Amino acid sequence: LHIMQGRMYQAVLNKARRGDLYILPPIGYIKLPTGEFALDPDEQARNVIHIAFDAFDRRGTIRGVIRYLVEHSVMMPVRPHSGPNKGQLEWRRPTRDTVNTILTHPIFAGTYRYGHRQLDPRRKQPGKPHSGRVLMDPDDYHALIPGRCPAYISMERYERNQRRIAQNRVRFSAKGPAREGAAMLGGLVFCGHCDTRMSVHYAGKGAYQYTCRARIYDCNGPLCQSISGRVLDKLVAEKILAALQPAALEISLSAADDLQQERRRLEQTWQHRLERARYDAERAERQYQAVEPENRLVARTLEQQWESALSELQSVQQEYARFRQAHSSSLTDDERETIRKLSKDLPAVWNASTTSAADKQRIVQILLNRILVRVQDSTERVDVTLHWSGGFTSQHEFIRPVRGYAQLSDYERLIARIKGLRREGLSFAAIAEELNRDGFRPAKQAETFHGDLVGNLLRGHEGSQPGPRSHPVSLVLEENEWLAVDLAPRIGIAKNTLLAWIKRGWVHMSRRLPGYHGRVICWADVEELKRLCRLRETNHNWWDQPVPAELTTPKAPPKK
């Protein structure tokens, strides 16, 4: 028996290797009496398959295709393989399994496949006859014969779709799909030091970074490098818009044609639904009219079926009317003119609120294969290499924000310039103007220098001791009056913290100096200083207990 069983199994494999073994047709196909597969004879069913492939070209993900089909009320044509309605066409809501079959099955490109799921005896479970099946690589299939079956798409389009699906997998070795995050280059940025894919890390207030943590993961070493995401995204966006500008007219024409084709497909689908609903209603009417009037048992049933068909026809007509209100069957002259105008101003389209982050990511993933980023010796200068899809490579450089001024490549020259201007008697504000005029830039997100930045930088430099604070000649402090910049270190807090306390009403402000960089004069005697010190030692975060009122209520100064 086992010899006969083995010979029968080998006969099945030989038939499959010839491409003559057909079992269950996938969605969009039927099985002919001769045993071969053919395209579904229903025109609406074939049109839905084409809509799914076109939606994947626009959306780029299986989930995006499902959302597109649900959004436009497109139903999937399914012919059950068993049950009372075996082989009959049914319309069901799109699911991930059906859409995944359409996009990944090679038969839609005309390729015969057999043996993609084979039995592994080691994984077979007792009592479960269908267990132990594993997915195989294409090289291990029993048969893979191109051009054997009728096709919906070309083999080149099918292979392109498979590469795109493989890149959508959430793995460190793949680009990943376009997401809703603000990072535009996720999955494309590589470290120039170790050639590792850099990951995206989001921080508060919409900030994000591209970080290489290969050394941390491999050998528990230091961070390889980190780049500000917004600065790098801005550079890449400028280069992409510059590359697209010469082809703006072609892009507008292509967009108009693509939109026209999409509307034509959807319009055709609705016409098919209307035609099918009318046919069902007319068929139910003919059946009702054909029954003998005396046979009320059958007539009542046929009458209910006719009413149900008429109700379905009315529902489809109402949905089609709503569709026509939102989408015309063809592009109007005004819509074409709008597309042409938008193509002439690509930056406005790119920065528009209607252009989502996922749309930008899809465009970048189409135009760029990878982005190689290398920080020059932990300084603010970064070398960027863009690898375009056509094989072209471009070199660029930009300035990134760094944590400290010591990382700046011209740090020593900056300090020397500040000290030289300080020896000339210039104020911090005047020094900031000179630095901006000379082309120096701050270390972090600030665009230009100002007086406070210069003062903090000079005081924080090694070997630079803060000298006596100079006040305006006309400034006269009365008894128990303090400048905010002097009161803050006396209490032991930062100046910004003291300003926040003043804004909350915890510190009494005597007056504000006009025209002197917003300096604030506070009043605090010995008792007030003790209260403020106790307030400093009290936790007043949102999760702590409320601060006692006696610590937050300032003492009124004596009347003059």
Side-chain angles (χ1 to χ4, degrees):
L1 291 177
H2 72 272
I3 293 176
M4 294 177 61
Q5 185 178 8
R7 289 180 177 179
M8 294 173 63
Y9 179 68
Q10 288 299 323
V12 171
L13 292 183
N14 291 333
K15 188 175 182 179
R17 293 188 182 102
R18 296 194 306 266
D20 296 334
L21 181 62
Y22 298 90
I23 302 179
L24 298 178
I27 182 174
Y29 287 85
I30 62 170
K31 190 173 183 179
L32 299 177
T34 58
E36 298 179 349
F37 287 167
L39 298 181
D40 198 307
D42 192 280
E43 185 179 356
Q44 183 182 357
R46 297 195 305 270
N47 187 57
V48 169
I49 301 298
H50 288 293
I51 289 178
F53 283 112
D54 294 342
F56 184 77
D57 292 340
R58 300 185 187 94
R59 301 299 180 96
T61 60
I62 296 177
R63 182 181 179 185
V65 174
I66 297 174
R67 297 177 65 179
Y68 177 85
L69 297 177
V70 173
E71 179 183 355
H72 293 87
S73 303
V74 179
M75 309 297 285
M76 304 304 295
V78 178
R79 294 184 182 272
H81 300 310
S82 60
N85 295 330
K86 178 181 179 180
Q88 298 182 12
L89 185 61
E90 297 181 357
W91 297 94
R92 302 178 183 178
R93 287 178 58 86
T95 62
R96 188 174 186 86
D97 290 338
T98 55
V99 175
N100 183 72
T101 300
I102 293 174
L103 296 176
T104 59
H105 204 303
I107 193 175
F108 291 90
T111 300
Y112 175 86
R113 181 187 72 178
Y114 185 83
H116 74 290
R117 295 180 70 246
Q118 300 181 19
L119 178 63
D120 186 357
R122 297 171 299 179
R123 300 189 179 186
K124 191 172 182 60
Q125 300 179 11
K128 297 182 178 180
H130 299 288
S131 62
R133 298 281 180 176
V134 294
L135 293 176
M136 309 299 294
D137 294 331
D139 296 336
D140 298 328
Y141 291 171
H142 293 312
L144 191 65
I145 307 175
R148 182 66 176 174
C149 302
Y152 281 93
I153 60 175
S154 63
M155 195 63 189
E156 292 76 11
R157 187 178 181 184
Y158 169 78
E159 293 176 351
R160 184 173 65 251
N161 292 345
Q162 302 316 301
R163 290 193 296 268
R164 199 167 184 179
I165 293 175
Q167 289 296 334
N168 288 341
R169 296 174 181 173
V170 185
R171 296 179 180 177
F172 195 73
S173 58
K175 294 181 182 179
R179 302 192 177 186
E180 300 299 330
M184 190 178 67
L185 309 177
L188 295 174
V189 184
F190 286 80
C191 178
H193 298 284
C194 58
D195 199 27
T196 302
R197 193 185 302 272
M198 300 177 67
S199 56
V200 182
H201 292 267
Y202 288 92
K205 299 181 180 180
Y208 55 93
Q209 294 179 334
Y210 299 106
T211 306
C212 177
R213 298 175 175 264
R215 297 178 183 175
I216 298 178
Y217 297 149
D218 295 342
C219 56
N220 198 21
L223 185 69
C224 189
Q225 64 176 5
S226 180
I227 309 294
S228 173
R230 295 190 180 277
V231 179
L232 182 58
D233 286 2
K234 181 179 179 181
L235 171 68
V236 175
E238 293 175 354
K239 302 305 176 183
I240 287 179
L241 293 177
L244 294 177
Q245 193 64 40
L249 181 59
E250 297 180 6
I251 292 175
S252 65
L253 297 177
S254 177
D257 294 340
D258 182 73
L259 187 58
Q260 179 75 22
Q261 182 180 2
E262 178 187 4
R263 292 188 178 183
R264 190 182 301 113
R265 290 278 191 191
L266 294 175
E267 176 72 19
Q268 188 176 8
T269 300
W270 279 106
Q271 292 295 338
H272 290 160
R273 290 185 61 182
L274 284 172
E275 183 178 354
R276 188 181 302 277
R278 293 193 188 99
Y279 168 76
D280 292 340
E282 293 173 357
R283 183 171 180 268
E285 180 183 4
R286 290 194 302 268
Q287 291 176 346
Y288 175 75
Q289 297 294 344
V291 70
E292 295 180 356
E294 295 81 6
N295 192 356
R296 299 306 303 168
L297 297 177
V298 178
R300 282 194 295 266
T301 302
L302 295 178
E303 183 181 5
Q304 294 176 358
Q305 294 179 358
W306 186 16
E307 291 178 353
S308 177
L310 290 175
S311 177
E312 179 66 20
L313 175 60
Q314 183 180 5
S315 176
V316 174
Q317 290 176 342
Q318 293 176 354
E319 293 180 8
Y320 177 65
R322 289 193 293 268
F323 170 78
R324 289 299 302 270
Q325 290 179 356
H327 307 85
S328 60
S329 58
S330 60
L331 291 179
T332 63
D333 295 337
D334 294 339
E335 290 175 335
R336 291 183 179 275
E337 185 63 25
T338 302
I339 293 176
R340 293 191 185 96
K341 290 181 179 179
L342 291 176
S343 66
K344 297 178 181 178
D345 192 4
L346 292 180
V349 179
W350 185 271
N351 298 319
S353 58
T354 54
T355 305
S356 64
D359 295 334
K360 297 179 182 179
Q361 294 174 32
R362 279 192 286 266
I363 295 174
V364 173
Q365 291 180 357
I366 293 173
L367 297 178
L368 294 175
N369 289 330
R370 58 182 286 166
I371 303 172
L372 196 63
V373 178
R374 184 178 183 276
V375 178
Q376 299 180 8
D377 300 328
S378 300
T379 64
E380 82 284 7
R381 299 188 177 276
V382 182
D383 296 326
V384 180
T385 304
L386 301 181
H387 295 266
W388 300 83
S389 297
F392 176 72
T393 301
S394 58
Q395 302 286 340
H396 309 280
E397 181 181 287
F398 72 95
I399 304 300
R400 65 162 183 157
V402 293
R403 293 183 178 274
Y405 285 90
Q407 294 180 256
L408 297 178
S409 57
D410 56 352
Y411 175 66
E412 297 299 334
R413 188 166 64 91
L414 173 63
I415 292 298
R417 179 61 172 161
I418 293 177
K419 289 183 177 179
L421 296 174
R422 189 62 173 169
R423 285 193 296 267
E424 295 177 6
L426 273 68
S427 64
F428 289 154
I431 294 176
E433 295 178 0
E434 292 293 332
L435 295 179
N436 296 329
R437 192 177 296 112
D438 294 341
F440 290 100
R441 290 294 179 266
K444 298 186 178 181
Q445 299 289 349
E447 295 291 338
T448 58
F449 278 100
H450 54 81
D452 289 342
L453 281 179
V454 174
N456 294 334
L457 175 59
L458 189 59
R459 285 189 291 268
H461 180 62
E462 295 182 0
S464 298
Q465 299 295 333
R469 188 178 303 278
S470 59
H471 301 310
V473 178
S474 59
L475 177 61
V476 178
L477 296 177
E478 298 181 0
E479 185 180 3
N480 296 328
E481 283 189 340
W482 302 77
L483 280 170
V485 293
D486 295 331
L487 180 60
R490 174 66 178 80
I491 304 174
I493 60 176
K495 182 188 69 173
N496 291 336
T497 303
L498 180 61
L499 294 178
W501 288 7
I502 295 174
K503 187 176 181 180
R504 296 177 183 177
W506 294 357
V507 181
H508 181 79
M509 182 182 68
S510 298
R511 61 186 187 276
R512 186 185 297 274
L513 298 180
Y516 187 53
H517 305 297
R519 292 287 178 88
V520 177
I521 297 179
C522 307
W523 184 89
D525 57 4
V526 178
E527 296 181 0
E528 279 292 281
L529 292 177
K530 293 180 180 180
R531 180 185 66 83
L532 294 176
C533 290
R534 293 198 305 271
L535 180 60
R536 177 202 64 196
E537 297 173 355
T538 303
N539 295 329
H540 44 272
N541 295 314
W542 65 270
W543 58 81
D544 296 318
Q545 295 294 331
V547 182
E550 59 269 14
L551 296 181
T552 58
T553 305
K555 176 182 177 182
K559 296 182 179 181
K560 300 180 182 179

